[in-house]
Structure formats: C-alpha cells, structure tokens
Amino acid sequence: MRRLSVKRSRSALHKSMRGGDCDASVYWLARMLEGGEDPRYIARRLIRFASEDVGLAEPFALVQAVATAQACQLIGMPECSVNLAQCVVYLARAPKSVAVYNAYKSAHKCVMSCLNEPVPLHICNAPTQLMKDIGYAQNYQYNPELGYVRGCDKGYLPDSIKEKRFFHEDDIESGWKLQFGGKPSDLDGGVSDDCSQEK
C-alpha cells in the first residue's frame, strides 16, 4: 500500500509542477522521499520534465535538472533533498512549453507511417564522382556562405512531406519566447529571410 502511495505521488508531483504550484510540488517531493523513493529516480524524472513541460520556454531548466541529478549522485540522502527541492520549485515556477515534446511526437508518428522516405539528393553527401553525376549534393546551398539565410534551399524534408510542420512556436509560453520567437531576422546571429543576401 505504501508503494502504491509513492507511485501516485510521482504523478502528483509532475502535475503540481506542470500547474506551477510550488507548495504542492515540494510537498509531493517530500512524500516521495519519505516513502522511500530513490532520489536518483526523482532526478531522472525532473530531467524529463525540464524538456517535456518546460522546454524552450526556459532552456536552462534542463541545466538545473541535470545539475540536480549530479548532486544526488555525489552527496546522496538526506543532503540532496534540498537540491531536489530547489529544482522542483524552479521547474514549477518556470514558464512552460510543450512545443518540442509535441514536435517530436508528431515527427515520430510521421516516421512510423513512412519509414522509407528517401533523403533528398541535394542534402546527401557526394564523396565520389559517380554520386555527383547522379545528382547527389547538386545545388545544395551552404548557409554559412549566404549569411545563414533561411528558405533558399530546396528544403530538407522528403518530397512527400515537404510541407509538413512539426514544430509550432505558439506552444511556447511567454518567457524565453521573447528571445526565441519572432521573425528569423530578429534572432541573435542576424539570420535573414532575404534570399538575395550574400556574404
């Protein structure tokens, strides 16, 4: 019965962090630890949460979670309980995004339904003359030489799904989106939409 309670606490912790409730998150963490849950297991779940539920809304959440896992490995219980609590509160307070999680789920579903789609020839390497003769790497545009221009190549997806979009930026809660979002030209590094730009 005690083990069942610990398993239910796992779900409660995840949902509390997802909902941004710091108090409930710390409470369920304490329940898990006092119920005998391995702190390293909790840390692994926090690493997953950092990418699945926080993601690009706060990229440093993953750094925090990985550091917490290292702390658990290095000092163990009971000292690492405070490291876990710090991470749990951090993740609960962080802005949330499932954009990457949903993008991968969508891409995985697509791959499983069309496993054998060929790689477009223009993005295949051509180490031999024969491969060049049959079209490998033909007309590939090397972005660094164009100032990292987007949308000037033939595309990178197989032809049958070339219009497919997996990543949707609207799934990112306000936070890091202020830097990540917007037009490509607004990003750090001077990425441009202008296909006529040359370096």
Side-chain angles (χ1 to χ4, degrees):
M1 193 66 182
R2 184 180 182 185
R3 194 61 190 168
L4 178 60
S5 177
V6 171
K7 289 183 177 180
R8 288 175 176 168
S9 296
R10 296 172 183 172
S11 177
L13 172 61
H14 195 122
K15 290 179 173 64
S16 297
M17 291 190 298
R18 180 184 289 154
D21 190 325
C22 299
D23 298 308
S25 298
V26 172
Y27 172 79
W28 292 115
L29 170 65
R31 281 278 296 267
M32 292 173 73
L33 290 173
E34 294 308 311
E37 189 72 272
D38 187 337
R40 294 170 299 178
Y41 173 79
I42 298 174
R44 290 197 299 270
R45 289 182 67 91
L46 298 182
I47 291 173
R48 169 73 183 199
F49 184 94
S51 289
E52 178 179 334
D53 283 276
V54 176
L56 294 177
E58 170 52 290
F60 288 103
L62 182 57
V63 177
Q64 176 77 221
V66 171
T68 299
Q70 291 175 329
C72 291
Q73 186 69 36
L74 287 170
I75 66 176
M77 283 291 286
E79 289 85 356
C80 72
S81 60
V82 71
N83 304 117
L84 288 166
Q86 175 180 323
C87 187
V88 160
V89 171
Y90 184 99
L91 295 175
R93 290 177 59 88
K96 306 298 190 292
S97 168
V98 292
V100 171
Y101 176 66
N102 286 339
Y104 182 77
K105 282 202 307 180
S106 182
H108 179 266
K109 182 178 179 180
C110 182
V111 166
M112 297 307 292
S113 65
C114 51
L115 281 172
N116 297 316
E117 292 298 316
V119 177
L121 286 182
H122 73 285
I123 57 173
C124 290
N125 290 332
T128 69
Q129 186 59 49
L130 175 61
M131 296 172 79
K132 293 178 182 178
D133 291 342
I134 60 177
Y136 281 53
Q138 186 175 352
N139 298 322
Y140 169 69
Q141 299 192 44
Y142 184 58
N143 279 10
E145 294 179 350
L146 299 174
Y148 294 96
V149 178
R150 294 187 180 188
C152 293
D153 219 321
K154 295 180 179 179
Y156 305 96
L157 287 169
D159 287 341
S160 63
I161 57 169
K162 63 183 179 181
E163 302 300 326
K164 184 73 174 175
R165 294 295 176 266
F166 303 111
F167 177 75
H168 299 283
E169 194 174 310
D170 290 342
D171 289 338
I172 303 177
E173 184 182 354
S174 60
W176 193 56
K177 186 180 180 181
L178 296 176
Q179 288 77 45
F180 180 80
K183 298 178 181 178
S185 58
D186 295 332
L187 293 171
D188 292 338
V191 179
S192 172
D193 281 324
D194 184 4
C195 294
S196 65
Q197 177 180 347
E198 292 187 6
K199 193 171 182 179

